[in-house]
Amino acid sequence: MEETYLLNVEGVKKKILHGGQGELPKLQDGSKFTFHFQTLKDDFERTVIDDSREAGVPMEIIVGKMFKLEIWETLLSSMRIGEVAEFWCDIIHTGMYALVSRGMRRIAEGRDPLEGQKHRCGMGNMFDYHSTGYADLDELQRAPQPLIFIMELFRVRGTAGWLPEREQLGQAAQLLLLVQVEDPSAYKRDTWAMSKEEKLAAVPMLHSEGNRLVLRREFAQAAAKYQEAVICLRNLQAKEKPWEDGWLKLESLVTPLVLNYCQCQLELGEYYEVLEHTTELLQKHNDNAKAYFKRAKAHAAVWNEREAREDFQRVAHLDPAMAAAVKKELKQLGERMRKKHVEDRKRYQGLFQSSQGL
């Protein structure tokens, strides 16, 4: 159930998080999917873009009605009732997401999803699409990227019960129906479906579990626990104003988790990932000696001698208590670089002699 596998669709990967019941639904035009979804960026924090649970109601789309995000119909068609699945979708499938999300958000806000588009020619609509009215969606329009969709399928049924007054909302609303709340299927709740209180409670448990796995030298599993804890906190942090008290309090919990994650990646030899995440951390906290130390070790591992020395020197300056460790690392770096230079000279000398013999 944990295995990630490809659907028979280019640019899509699927992972089942919770198995469903029965056979795959038999679909026909007019069938309706009722489901919850969450849309995330494919980044370290798995930044949440949209979450139907935030609005308190699931989503509904109709088969065969040319939903703008065509891939969703394909994804849902691969699910059983009660199933929860995570789908990674490449850019070829996500280019329209910003416009679809805009419509969903407007409906959730009680606004007309076609606002600003009525009685316009095609060029007028293109101009309107220049800005969605939401900064994060504008970013997606400017720079399309792969997205992750987590979906929980509640029900598939025919068109009975279709409400005429909803049809009057216009085509976009028909394709983006938000319906009455239904009880979610019973399953062990994953991070994405947790409430604020549940996420806060999960973080120390995930942190502790990660530490336990590190002691057992199960670094890949430990890294996954630290990452999940960071995702919980980043999701909560997204609802706070940057650099204000609530945001800073959550950031203070994020920082040690990211450092622990980076230590696991050092142990696993994923040096460029360490460089990426420590650099991102230092952009916010440029006085964090531990982040410089881990970045320095990653630089040293990939032969970036100058960058490694600069970071080690920053560590000694920021935290004199780490001076002895820095001295040891610099000595090892010097020995490794000298050995590499000797080996390089021998290699180049051998190549030069071989070329002369030709």
Side-chain angles (χ1 to χ4, degrees):
M1 299 295 287
E2 293 295 328
E3 184 180 1
T4 299
Y5 58 92
L6 288 173
L7 285 172
N8 190 26
V9 180
E10 182 184 357
V12 176
K13 296 178 184 178
K14 177 182 178 182
K15 184 197 300 184
I16 297 176
L17 305 181
H18 176 76
Q21 301 174 352
E23 301 297 323
L24 290 174
K26 295 181 180 179
L27 303 174
Q28 57 185 0
D29 284 359
S31 297
K32 292 193 289 186
F33 291 109
T34 304
F35 60 101
H36 265 308
F37 76 94
Q38 190 178 53
T39 304
L40 309 96
K41 290 185 178 180
D42 183 22
D43 57 12
F44 174 67
E45 291 87 1
R46 289 162 62 97
T47 305
V48 177
I49 300 171
D50 289 308
D51 187 343
S52 64
R53 293 180 183 275
E54 291 290 318
V57 289
M59 174 77 176
E60 186 169 286
I61 65 173
I62 306 170
V63 175
K65 292 290 187 179
M66 296 186 295
F67 182 59
K68 284 184 179 179
L69 202 64
E70 184 179 352
I71 193 63
W72 272 19
E73 190 173 309
T74 302
L75 305 184
L76 290 162
S77 298
S78 77
M79 298 176 68
R80 292 172 169 81
I81 304 299
E83 180 178 322
V84 182
E86 176 179 311
F87 300 91
W88 177 90
C89 295
D90 205 352
I91 296 174
I92 57 174
H93 302 297
T94 62
M96 291 292 291
Y97 185 78
L99 302 183
V100 170
S101 176
R102 176 181 66 174
M104 291 188 290
R105 292 184 187 186
R106 286 180 172 177
I107 291 172
E109 293 165 2
R111 298 165 59 192
D112 184 347
L114 297 177
E115 179 184 321
Q117 299 179 48
K118 295 179 179 179
H119 309 299
R120 288 195 183 183
C121 63
M123 289 301 292
N125 284 334
M126 288 176 63
F127 179 80
D128 183 65
Y129 287 164
H130 180 71
S131 175
T132 64
Y134 303 93
D136 59 336
L137 299 183
D138 286 345
E139 178 188 347
L140 282 181
Q141 274 206 136
R142 286 192 297 270
Q145 58 191 268
L147 295 173
I148 296 167
F149 303 112
I150 300 178
M151 294 177 164
E152 178 181 3
L153 182 60
F154 295 149
R155 184 175 63 197
V156 180
R157 66 179 185 181
T159 57
W162 181 259
L163 300 180
E165 59 268 30
R166 293 186 184 273
E167 292 182 323
Q168 296 171 10
L169 290 174
Q171 186 183 37
Q174 290 180 45
L175 303 181
L176 297 165
L177 279 179
L178 295 173
V179 299
Q180 182 177 329
V181 178
E182 300 180 33
D183 291 334
S185 303
Y187 70 102
K188 182 180 179 295
R189 304 192 80 183
D190 292 281
T191 301
W192 74 274
M194 291 179 181
S195 66
K196 176 179 179 180
E197 292 72 22
E198 288 171 329
K199 287 175 182 174
L200 286 172
V203 167
M205 291 189 288
L206 290 166
H207 197 160
S208 177
E209 179 66 8
N211 292 347
R212 185 182 67 81
L213 290 165
V214 166
L215 292 174
R216 292 167 53 179
R217 301 191 65 78
E218 297 178 15
F219 297 113
Q221 295 88 335
K225 296 296 181 183
Y226 294 137
Q227 184 181 32
E228 187 174 356
V230 170
I231 290 167
C232 285
L233 293 169
R234 290 299 192 203
N235 287 349
L236 295 172
Q237 205 175 33
K239 298 176 177 64
E240 302 286 342
K241 192 169 182 179
W243 302 105
E244 292 197 350
D245 289 345
W247 188 94
L248 289 169
K249 184 176 181 180
L250 292 168
E251 185 69 13
S252 69
L253 300 175
V254 168
T255 300
L257 288 164
V258 173
L259 291 173
N260 287 359
Y261 175 86
C262 288
Q263 183 60 43
C264 291
Q265 297 305 319
L266 281 173
E267 298 287 350
L268 293 167
E270 300 291 345
Y271 304 119
Y272 289 103
E273 186 157 357
V274 175
L275 292 174
E276 177 185 349
H277 296 303
T278 50
T279 298
E280 183 179 344
L281 188 62
L282 287 166
Q283 288 171 349
K284 298 177 183 176
H285 312 286
N286 61 6
D287 59 349
N288 192 302
K290 291 181 179 179
Y292 279 117
F293 189 77
K294 295 184 193 304
R295 190 172 75 171
K297 286 177 70 69
H299 275 308
V302 296
W303 307 105
N304 296 338
E305 182 180 12
R306 179 179 60 81
E307 292 86 348
R309 290 187 181 280
E310 288 176 354
D311 279 353
F312 279 132
Q313 289 166 2
R314 288 193 185 99
V315 173
H317 174 73
L318 290 168
D319 188 354
M322 298 181 70
V326 167
K327 184 176 180 181
K328 179 181 177 181
E329 291 290 342
L330 286 172
K331 181 180 178 181
Q332 291 177 350
L333 174 62
E335 290 172 352
R336 288 182 68 238
M337 295 307 301
R338 281 192 291 274
K339 183 178 179 180
K340 182 176 185 295
H341 292 326
V342 170
E343 291 174 350
D344 287 346
R345 280 199 299 272
K346 287 181 179 178
R347 186 180 302 113
Y348 295 143
Q349 186 176 16
L351 289 172
F352 178 72
Q353 290 174 347
S354 297
S355 65
Q356 281 189 324
L358 293 176

